Amino acid sequence: MPERVHHRFNDGPPPAKKIKTSAITDSCQTEPEQKPPNETSLPEKSRIFEDHTKPRSSRPHYPKTQQVRSNSSLKDKSTALLRFRKELPIWSHTEEIRQSLKSKDVLLLVGETGSGKSTQVPQFLIDEPWCRPQSVTISHDEKQQTVKVGGCIAITEPRRVAAITLARRVAEEMGTPLGSSSPASKIGYSVRFDNSTSPSTRIKFLTEGMLLQEMLRDPWLRQYSVVIVDEVHERGVNVDLVMGFLKNIVSGNKEGRGGLPLKVAVMSATADLEGLQMFFDDKHDWKLQREIPKDIEEVDNMSTNKIAGTEDIDSEWSGITSDGDDHTSNLKQDSNHHANNEISTKNLSNGNGSTNGFRLDDKPPAEPPTPSTFKDKPPPDSPHVSVCHISGRQHPVQTIYSLNPVPDFVDAALRNIFQIHYKEPLPGDILVFLTGQETVETLESLVREYALALPPTVPKLLILPLFAALPPAAQQLVFHPTPPKTRKVILATNIAETSVTVAGVRFVIDSGKSKIKQFRTRLGLDSLLVKPISQSAAIQRQGRAGREAPGKCYRLYTECDYRALAPAPTPEILRCDLSQAILTLKARGVDDITAFPFLDRPPREALEKALMQLFQLGALTDAGRINAVGLQIARLPLTAPLGRVLLAAADPAMDCLAEAIDIIACLSVENIFLALTSEETKERAASARRALLRREGDHLTLLATVQAYAAEKADRKAWAERHFVSHRAMQAVMDVRKQLLAQTAHLALPSPTTPPHSPTPNASTPNEPTSHASALPTTILRSFLRGFAPNTARLVPDGSYRTLLGHHTVAIHPSSGLFGQRVEAIMYNEFVFTNRSYARGVSAVQMEWVGEVLGV
C-alpha cells in the first residue's frame, strides 16, 4: 500500500488564519515570496481571478495569442499534437471505424472516457470518398432539380460548452482556423445564439437542439454525409428526438437525398448497445419500452398524493424514482447546510490506514457490471448496424471511496480540496462536481475565505465556477492555462461531466449528487430535487481525472452506495413537460405523435397534457396540426410559453415587445438578485431594492431592474453591488436581450418602439402620453397571460390561492415581492415543490384578463 499522509484541522471552528500547515509536503512548497503572510488579502486573491476577465494580451501569465496566426504555425501545432493523438486508444481502430461506416449506415461505438471518441472519429471520416459532396437530382413540386448532398460531418453534443471546446481542440489538431475567423476554416460550431462556421466548414460541432432547428429548413439534412450523436447515454429530450428523426432518414427511401444514404454514428462511454441496435434494425414498429417496476410506481403515487393533499389520486408513473420524505430533507440540506462558514471539526484521519475518512486502493476497484456495457456478450451481428468497442483509457484513475456516509457533501468537498492542495504536488488541478449554482457559489466563497490563510510557501488557489447559467465568456475561463505556482479549483455542476476536457485536471471530487427536474403531469408541477447520480454518471465523472495523466477520484459516498446506484439515468423524456418536444415534432412534419420512433415512449397522459397546453397557447389547430403561430414559436430559442409571450407582445394592440424581451431575458438566466443569508444583509438589500420593486409583482420588478441597470452609464458593477444584484447575471441578461432582438428581426416581427432602457413608468412621463404610460403595466401582464394563463390561481375565502386548472392549493414563494399579500388572482412562471407547493415568479392579475385568454 502507498504511504498515507494524515492531516488534521484544529479542533473547534477555527478562523481561516489558524489552519495548520505543518504537514505540508515538500513537493508542494515553492520559493518564499518577498511579502509577509499578513499582506495576503482578499483583493489580492480576487486579482488572480480578475486577470482572467481581461483581454488575453494583457494577462501576465499567458503568452499572447495573435488574432491571425500563420498557416505554418497552425501546421506546426497540428504536427506536435499528432504524437498525442496516436497514443489515444481509439487510434488503432481507425480503419475499423472507416470500414464499418463504409459498409453499413449505422455505427454504434462504445469507448471508455478518455479514449478519444469525440475528437478523433470525425477526423477519421473527413477524407472518405463517401463523405464528399455529390450532385444528385431530386423531385421538388413535381419538378426535377439538381442539389448537392453531403460533404459535412455533424457531431451533436448535449451542452454548448462541450461543442465549443471540442471544436476548438479539433481545429488545433487539424491545423485549421476555427469557425468564422477565416473563410478557409474547416472546423466550426453552432450553439444557441452563436453560429461560428465558414463556407469551407467540413466538421461542425453543434448542440442537439441546433440540429433540430436545422431540420426545420432541411428535414433530410442534405448538408451532411454523416451525423455523429455523442454522449447518447445522457438521454436528454433532444437526443431522443434526434435519434427518432435519424432512424426515419436511415430507414426511409432516401428520396429527399437523391438516394444517397445518411451515415449515423452513435457514441458513448456507457450505452445500451443491444437496445440501440434493435432500435435501428427495426424498420417501422419496434419501440424500446421501459418496464415500470411495481414498487417505483407505488412510490411515485404516494409522493403525488402527498403533494396534492389527498390519498386516492391514481397517478401514472412519471419515469423517475422517489425517495419519499428524503426529497425535502435533501433539498433543504442543499440550500441551508452552509449557515456557518467554518470547516467541520471532524478528524481528517483515523488509525485504520485511511485518509480523510476514505479508503485508498492501490488499484481502482473494478466497476460493477452494468447492462450498458455488453463487452462480454456483444449484440448479434446486424445487416444494418455495425458495433465497435474501444477498450482501455489513456491513463489510470485511482478511485477513493468514503468510509462512511457523508452528511454534508459541501463541507466534505471543502476539506478534500485543502487536503489535496497540501499533499499533492503541482501540476494537478482539482475538479469538484456539485449539484447546482447555489452550492457552487457557496463552496466558492468558502474556498476563497480559507485560501487567505495559505502561507507564501504554498501555491495559490485559483477558484473558477462552471455551471450552465454562466455567460459563455465566464465558462471559457476554466479552459485557460493555469498560472505558474497556482492550482486551479473548478467548481462545476454536471455540465463538466461529459465531452469536456479541462487541461491540467488530475483530481476529481464527486459529490454523488445532482439536481433532477421532475414534472408531474396531473398536477402540472415541476419538482427540482437533489438526487443520487447513476453509475454511468459516476464513471463519467471519474474519467475526468485521467484525461492527460494518471489521476485520483474522491467519491464522497461509500462503495456500497455506489453499487446501489441505478445503472443509467432515467431518460428525461419520461420525467419532463413534453410540450416543447411535441411542438418540435409538429414543426418538423410529425402529425401522428404516436407513430414516432421514440427510444422510450412517454406516458399517454403526458402526451395528451402537452397537446392540450399547445392548443391553449394557440399553437395548434382544432385538428391538432401546427399553425402559423406554432411555427413562429418553434423557430424561437425559447420555451413554448415564453415564445407565445413574445408573439403576443409584438402584436400592435399590445406594443410592448421591448419590455417583454427584457423580462424574458431575465427569466432565461440565473436569478439576478443575490441570495442572502444573514438577516442584517436581507434588511439592507430590501432597503436598497425598494426603488426597483413594483406593486404589480415580480415581472415588472425584473423589468425595472433591467432598465435601471441599462440606464447606468458610469459604473454598472458598482450599481449592482449597491442594489444587491448579480452583475454577472445582468451581463448575461444584456447578452440574451441583444440576441432576442436579432431573433425577432429575423422572424420579421415588428421592431420594438420603446427603447429598452426607458424606465417603466408608474406615472406619465413628458415624452409619453398619459394613457399609454398608465396602460403599459397592464399590457405587459396581459401579454404574459397569453403564455401563462394555465399558470394562474385565484384567492379563496380562507386566504390561500387555488389554481384555476386542477384546483390545487399553492403558496406564493417567499422570494416574491408579493409574498404575504392578498390579490384577486396571481400569474406565476413556475409551480414548484420544495417543502410545499410554491408559485415562483408571481404577478397580480385580474380574473377578467384570465377569462379572456382561457375563454371562460
Side-chain angles (χ1 to χ4, degrees):
M1 295 292 291
E3 181 183 356
R4 296 174 177 83
V5 181
H6 306 292
H7 300 281
R8 182 189 181 107
F9 287 97
N10 290 335
D11 293 333
K17 64 181 181 179
K18 291 186 180 180
I19 295 179
K20 283 193 175 183
T21 57
S22 58
I24 301 172
T25 58
D26 294 337
S27 58
C28 193
Q29 295 182 7
T30 60
E31 291 297 325
E33 298 179 356
Q34 298 300 319
K35 292 183 181 181
N38 58 7
E39 288 188 11
T40 303
S41 61
L42 181 60
E44 180 179 349
K45 296 298 180 183
S46 301
R47 189 163 60 250
I48 301 174
F49 180 81
E50 290 169 1
D51 283 342
H52 285 263
T53 64
K54 297 178 181 178
R56 292 186 65 90
S57 58
S58 64
R59 295 184 196 138
H61 296 304
Y62 311 131
K64 292 185 177 180
T65 302
Q66 298 178 353
Q67 295 297 321
V68 180
R69 295 180 293 185
S70 64
N71 289 334
S72 60
S73 64
L74 291 174
K75 294 299 181 183
D76 291 344
K77 188 166 187 177
S78 173
T79 303
L81 290 174
L82 181 61
R83 177 173 63 87
F84 297 100
R85 293 177 59 197
K86 291 181 177 181
E87 295 175 356
L88 293 171
I90 200 172
W91 187 266
S92 60
H93 297 263
T94 303
E95 195 59 31
E96 178 186 355
I97 293 171
R98 288 172 175 167
Q99 292 301 320
S100 296
L101 277 175
K102 180 180 179 181
S103 58
K104 298 179 181 180
D105 290 345
V106 180
L107 168 65
L108 305 180
L109 191 151
V110 173
E112 293 187 41
T113 300
S115 60
K117 306 181 300 298
S118 303
T119 57
Q120 303 309 306
V121 171
Q123 297 184 68
F124 294 163
L125 303 177
I126 190 172
D127 293 326
E128 289 296 285
W130 53 265
C131 204
R132 297 169 184 166
Q134 302 183 43
S135 297
V136 298
T137 301
I138 62 173
S139 297
H140 182 69
D141 294 335
E142 299 182 354
K143 296 181 180 179
Q144 301 292 317
Q145 64 180 38
T146 301
V147 297
K148 285 189 176 182
V149 174
C152 189
I153 298 173
I155 308 96
T156 68
E157 297 293 337
R159 299 178 182 88
R160 61 179 292 149
V161 64
I164 296 173
T165 54
L166 286 172
R168 186 168 292 137
R169 173 68 180 189
V170 172
E172 291 176 348
E173 291 183 355
M174 292 187 62
T176 176
L178 174 63
S180 54
S181 61
S182 169
S185 169
K186 294 182 179 180
I187 312 298
Y189 64 86
S190 178
V191 298
R192 183 185 178 191
F193 299 134
D194 188 2
N195 182 22
S196 182
T197 57
S198 74
S200 304
T201 296
R202 296 288 311 282
I203 297 176
K204 184 196 291 188
F205 288 85
L206 68 171
T207 56
E208 296 142 358
M210 292 307 299
L211 185 65
L212 291 173
Q213 285 292 324
E214 291 188 7
M215 288 183 181
L216 275 176
R217 62 178 182 270
D218 182 13
W220 291 97
L221 296 176
R222 296 191 186 102
Q223 178 184 355
Y224 303 108
S225 296
V226 57
V227 175
I228 302 172
V229 183
D230 198 10
E231 309 296 355
V232 71
H233 68 275
E234 291 209 3
R235 296 298 306 277
V237 172
N238 285 340
V239 76
D240 278 28
L241 299 182
V242 165
M243 292 287 284
F245 282 117
L246 291 178
K247 178 188 174 180
N248 286 338
I249 296 175
V250 169
S251 62
N253 56 19
K254 304 176 181 60
E255 59 181 0
R257 296 176 58 87
L260 293 179
L262 175 69
K263 306 288 187 177
V264 175
V266 180
M267 305 193 305
S268 175
T270 54
D272 181 0
L273 282 186
E274 188 175 37
L276 290 173
Q277 181 170 317
M278 293 173 63
F279 175 75
F280 279 105
D281 267 340
D282 184 87
K283 292 293 184 180
H284 302 289
D285 300 325
W286 183 86
K287 304 294 183 294
L288 176 59
Q289 296 298 326
R290 179 178 298 266
E291 291 186 6
I292 304 174
K294 183 67 176 176
D295 58 338
I296 293 180
E297 186 173 6
E298 291 173 354
V299 168
D300 189 75
N301 285 337
M302 291 170 58
S303 181
T304 304
N305 293 340
K306 179 179 177 181
I307 295 172
T310 65
E311 298 184 2
D312 57 352
I313 296 178
D314 182 19
S315 176
E316 187 170 352
W317 180 65
S318 63
I320 189 169
T321 60
S322 299
D323 293 334
D325 294 337
D326 288 342
H327 286 175
T328 303
S329 61
N330 283 344
L331 192 63
K332 190 179 294 183
Q333 175 188 356
D334 184 45
S335 303
N336 302 325
H337 57 6
H338 317 301
N340 57 42
N341 289 338
E342 303 297 339
I343 295 180
S344 172
T345 59
K346 294 177 182 177
N347 196 344
L348 294 180
S349 63
N350 57 38
N352 299 324
S354 66
T355 300
N356 200 17
F358 288 84
R359 193 198 71 215
L360 302 179
D361 297 328
D362 288 325
K363 297 180 180 179
E367 303 291 353
T370 69
S372 58
T373 53
F374 293 101
K375 292 185 178 179
D376 297 330
K377 183 182 177 183
D381 291 337
S382 163
H384 312 289
V385 181
S386 56
V387 178
C388 179
H389 290 280
I390 311 298
S391 59
R393 59 170 49 137
Q394 194 171 9
H395 303 286
V397 178
Q398 182 184 15
T399 304
I400 306 170
Y401 288 93
S402 174
L403 288 178
N404 301 300
V406 175
D408 187 340
F409 61 83
V410 172
D411 178 83
L414 176 63
R415 289 185 288 114
N416 274 272
I417 288 171
F418 283 97
Q419 183 82 0
I420 293 170
H421 188 53
Y422 291 153
K423 183 180 66 173
E424 301 289 350
L426 293 178
D429 297 336
I430 304 171
L431 174 61
V432 186
F433 284 99
L434 300 167
T435 56
Q437 176 186 342
E438 183 178 351
T439 51
V440 166
E441 292 179 340
T442 300
L443 184 57
E444 179 184 2
S445 64
L446 290 173
V447 175
R448 289 186 185 279
E449 177 185 353
Y450 283 93
L452 298 178
L454 293 177
T457 55
V458 178
K460 298 177 182 179
L461 285 177
L462 174 62
I463 302 98
L464 297 174
L466 180 61
F467 48 86
L470 273 178
Q475 290 179 345
Q476 292 301 314
L477 294 180
V478 303
F479 302 103
H480 293 164
T482 305
K485 299 181 181 180
T486 303
R487 191 189 302 274
K488 185 159 56 180
V489 179
I490 302 162
L491 309 177
T493 62
N494 58 359
I495 189 176
E497 197 171 281
T498 56
S499 299
V500 175
T501 298
V502 181
V505 170
R506 303 289 188 273
F507 308 99
V508 166
I509 300 175
D510 178 13
S511 67
K513 306 283 186 181
S514 66
K515 280 190 176 179
I516 301 294
K517 181 175 285 189
Q518 176 182 351
F519 182 75
R520 300 189 182 277
T521 304
R522 293 196 174 186
L523 299 178
L525 175 67
D526 248 336
S527 302
L528 190 61
L529 306 173
V530 177
K531 306 279 288 184
I533 61 175
S534 65
Q535 289 183 0
S536 64
I539 295 171
Q540 291 283 353
R541 293 182 176 188
Q542 177 199 49
R544 301 300 104 187
R547 303 305 292 263
E548 297 181 338
K552 295 180 181 179
C553 176
Y554 292 81
R555 287 177 171 169
L556 305 182
Y557 46 93
T558 66
E559 186 172 4
C560 181
D561 289 337
Y562 171 79
R563 295 180 180 277
L565 296 175
T570 302
E572 186 183 7
I573 203 166
L574 297 180
R575 55 176 173 82
C576 74
D577 180 8
L578 295 177
S579 57
Q580 193 68 32
I582 300 302
L583 182 65
T584 299
L585 293 174
K586 292 284 187 180
R588 287 149 188 80
V590 180
D591 287 324
D592 186 2
I593 301 298
T594 60
F596 186 78
F598 291 103
L599 278 168
D600 287 277
R601 184 165 301 284
R604 182 181 183 87
E605 183 183 18
L607 294 172
E608 292 173 350
K609 178 84 171 182
L611 288 169
M612 180 58 67
Q613 182 179 353
L614 292 175
F615 179 75
Q616 291 172 342
L617 291 175
L620 301 179
T621 65
D622 293 344
R625 296 180 180 275
I626 194 168
N627 56 23
V629 172
L631 285 173
Q632 281 189 306
I633 295 175
R635 291 190 177 98
L636 289 168
L638 299 169
T639 62
L642 288 178
R644 187 65 184 92
V645 169
L646 203 63
L647 297 182
D651 191 310
M654 296 295 183
D655 192 22
C656 57
L657 180 59
E659 291 79 8
I661 286 176
D662 282 352
I663 299 172
I664 291 172
C666 287
L667 298 176
S668 301
V669 303
E670 59 183 290
N671 187 6
I672 66 171
F673 295 110
L674 295 175
L676 308 172
T677 54
S678 68
E679 290 300 324
E680 179 184 356
T681 309
K682 289 180 180 179
E683 291 178 1
R684 291 170 51 204
S687 176
R689 297 171 182 169
R690 190 169 292 120
L692 304 175
L693 296 178
R694 296 293 180 266
R695 64 178 181 272
E696 294 86 357
D698 299 337
H699 295 84
L700 293 183
T701 296
L702 292 175
L703 175 60
T705 304
V706 173
Q707 292 178 342
Y709 178 86
E712 176 64 35
K713 302 301 182 183
D715 189 344
R716 289 181 174 178
K717 185 175 183 180
W719 181 94
E721 291 176 353
R722 290 196 308 270
H723 292 83
F724 295 87
V725 171
S726 171
H727 178 60
R728 181 170 60 193
M730 293 306 300
Q731 288 178 309
V733 167
M734 303 305 289
D735 185 42
V736 172
R737 178 196 161 277
K738 178 180 178 182
Q739 296 158 353
L740 286 176
L741 286 171
Q743 289 284 334
T744 55
H746 181 70
L747 292 177
L749 296 179
S751 300
T753 56
T754 304
H757 57 271
S758 301
T760 304
N762 284 325
S764 61
T765 60
N767 299 326
E768 200 167 24
T770 303
S771 59
H772 181 73
S774 59
L776 185 58
T778 298
T779 56
I780 293 173
L781 294 178
R782 294 180 73 171
S783 296
F784 270 84
L785 270 176
R786 297 304 301 268
F788 292 93
N791 292 12
T792 50
R794 68 182 306 170
L795 185 68
V796 294
D798 64 2
S800 63
Y801 292 93
R802 189 160 296 170
T803 60
L804 296 181
L805 302 181
H807 303 288
H808 305 299
T809 300
V810 63
I812 297 178
H813 198 273
S815 64
S816 171
L818 291 181
F819 179 69
Q821 300 186 30
R822 295 186 179 185
V823 294
E824 177 186 2
I826 59 173
M827 170 188 67
Y828 51 88
N829 296 326
E830 295 179 286
F831 182 22
V832 298
F833 180 79
T834 53
N835 56 349
R836 61 182 298 189
S837 299
Y838 282 114
R840 193 157 54 190
V842 181
S843 288
V845 296
Q846 298 178 17
M847 285 300 301
E848 179 184 355
W849 306 344
V850 180
E852 291 175 0
V853 177
L854 294 179
V856 296

